[in-house]
Amino acid sequence: MPYEMGEYYERVSDYDLEYQSQSEQDLPFWRELVMRYTPERVLELACGSGRIGLDLLHSPGKFYLEGLDIEQGMLDSYQRKLSREPEDIQQRVLLHHGDMSDYELEHKGQFDLIILPFNSICHLYEIEQQLDAFRTTYEHLAPGGHFVVDTFLPDIDYLSDALNRPSTVYLEDEIESSDGDFTMLLYTTRKYDAYEQLQHITWTHEKFFTNGENERYLSKLDMHLFFPRELQMLFITTGFKVEAIYGDYLWKPFGKGTRQIVIGRKPKDA
């Protein structure tokens, strides 16, 4: 079946606005991770428009960063933001247009750290796609390198609503634009396919401008939901040792939060 993803990411400026508050939650975690592992070469899969990568480039460690994303519009936005950074930072970044389940980079086997943040793994819909992504990542890591995946922990009550009341409309957020010229309301309807572990989301974006005009558009997004044992098995099956699992961005133990942040390590003798 065809899956919906692209249209949700086409309006990059709206996407950036909708998720600006996420940075307060997860950026401290990624900064701390980089400080703990002190990598020399980092790869961010599904890097988007640079929300995480651009911040990490200002960390104390002077590592090289590569980003990969399947959406060219996101990469174009990332590049524009990067062009406003100091020259020494620009020289440490390399962006790639590609699929995280099928990529081959020049520095294959040399990355100390590969990250897949903020639910982006949910765009790997098929089992073979998932296995290919993990195998390819394993091959790109240096021996002893780490692969970190961050996604939400499925909420059974939430999924029950999506399964039994798929026509219910939820107001997800109300956001002011950075220049104050509009307010955006975000509504969703969600349908859950329990057999495919797939959540079908329809977003309604409504903008109310200060000049009295308004704009309304829809976008669709499909997300595969990963249950804990399933995600851990992907690591183990593809050769990783599961080194740690955290439950939130404050490094709480798994089960003490709403997330599953799994850290896998490629054996040093691999």
Side-chain angles (χ1 to χ4, degrees):
M1 65 173 292
Y3 296 105
E4 300 281 357
M5 182 182 70
E7 67 173 356
Y8 182 73
Y9 298 105
E10 288 175 357
R11 301 194 182 211
V12 181
S13 60
D14 282 357
Y15 177 87
D16 287 348
L17 178 63
E18 290 167 26
Y19 290 101
Q20 62 184 356
S21 61
Q22 176 64 23
S23 295
E24 299 174 9
Q25 300 178 45
D26 63 359
L27 283 184
F29 172 85
W30 296 111
R31 292 178 197 136
E32 175 67 22
L33 187 84
V34 168
M35 290 179 63
R36 290 187 183 191
Y37 289 143
T38 61
E40 295 182 6
R41 190 172 295 277
V42 178
L43 171 62
E44 181 184 0
L45 301 175
C47 64
S49 59
R51 181 180 68 83
I52 293 173
L54 287 170
D55 181 85
L56 292 183
L57 287 165
H58 292 276
S59 300
K62 299 297 183 183
F63 55 84
Y64 288 94
L65 175 68
E66 299 191 33
L68 182 140
D69 203 283
I70 201 168
E71 292 296 327
Q72 187 61 52
M74 284 285 187
L75 290 173
D76 291 342
S77 177
Y78 197 147
Q79 191 63 57
R80 287 192 295 271
K81 295 173 187 175
L82 184 61
S83 68
R84 299 192 289 269
E85 294 287 340
E87 185 66 26
D88 65 313
I89 285 183
Q90 294 185 41
Q91 292 177 353
R92 290 162 44 208
V93 184
L94 190 60
L95 300 180
H96 308 275
H97 180 242
D99 187 333
M100 61 179 158
S101 63
D102 181 21
Y103 64 94
E104 185 153 356
L105 305 182
E106 178 185 354
H107 296 105
K108 181 178 179 179
Q110 300 176 38
F111 291 97
D112 311 285
L113 176 64
I114 299 179
I115 64 174
L116 181 53
F118 192 47
N119 308 327
S120 294
I121 191 176
C122 298
H123 296 316
L124 296 172
Y125 303 110
E126 305 286 359
I127 292 176
E128 281 306 317
Q129 233 186 342
Q130 297 161 9
L131 288 169
D132 286 346
F134 274 69
R135 289 173 182 141
T136 302
T137 298
Y138 184 92
E139 293 169 357
H140 278 73
L141 276 172
H146 292 89
F147 179 35
V148 185
V149 175
D150 162 38
T151 188
F152 56 83
L153 189 64
D155 183 316
I156 300 303
D157 290 335
Y158 183 85
L159 295 180
S160 176
D161 285 343
L163 184 65
N164 298 307
R165 290 181 284 276
S167 60
T168 302
V169 179
Y170 299 92
L171 174 61
E172 295 284 346
D173 209 349
E174 179 177 338
I175 306 168
E176 297 289 334
S177 65
S178 56
D179 54 11
D181 65 340
F182 69 84
T183 298
M184 180 160 57
L185 301 182
L186 300 176
Y187 299 90
T188 61
T189 57
R190 300 169 183 262
K191 181 179 180 182
Y192 180 56
D193 181 336
Y195 299 99
E196 294 293 332
Q197 292 177 214
L198 202 66
Q199 186 175 208
H200 303 282
I201 309 171
T202 299
W203 294 81
T204 302
H205 312 250
E206 284 194 311
K207 291 182 178 180
F208 298 90
F209 293 86
T210 54
N211 63 7
E213 297 180 358
N214 65 290
E215 178 186 9
R216 183 174 185 267
Y217 66 93
L218 302 180
S219 61
K220 294 183 178 181
L221 183 70
D222 291 339
M223 303 182 76
H224 178 86
L225 273 64
F226 287 87
F227 287 87
R229 294 294 180 90
E230 172 190 9
L231 181 54
Q232 294 166 40
M233 191 64 71
L234 277 172
F235 277 92
I236 295 168
T237 301
T238 52
F240 290 95
K241 174 181 173 55
V242 175
E243 192 169 271
I245 309 175
Y246 297 101
D248 68 5
Y249 297 124
L250 299 176
W251 304 86
K252 291 180 182 177
F254 179 62
K256 299 295 184 181
T258 61
R259 306 204 62 83
Q260 45 184 333
I261 305 172
V262 185
I263 300 180
R265 179 173 54 80
K266 181 176 181 176
K268 291 184 177 181
D269 56 358

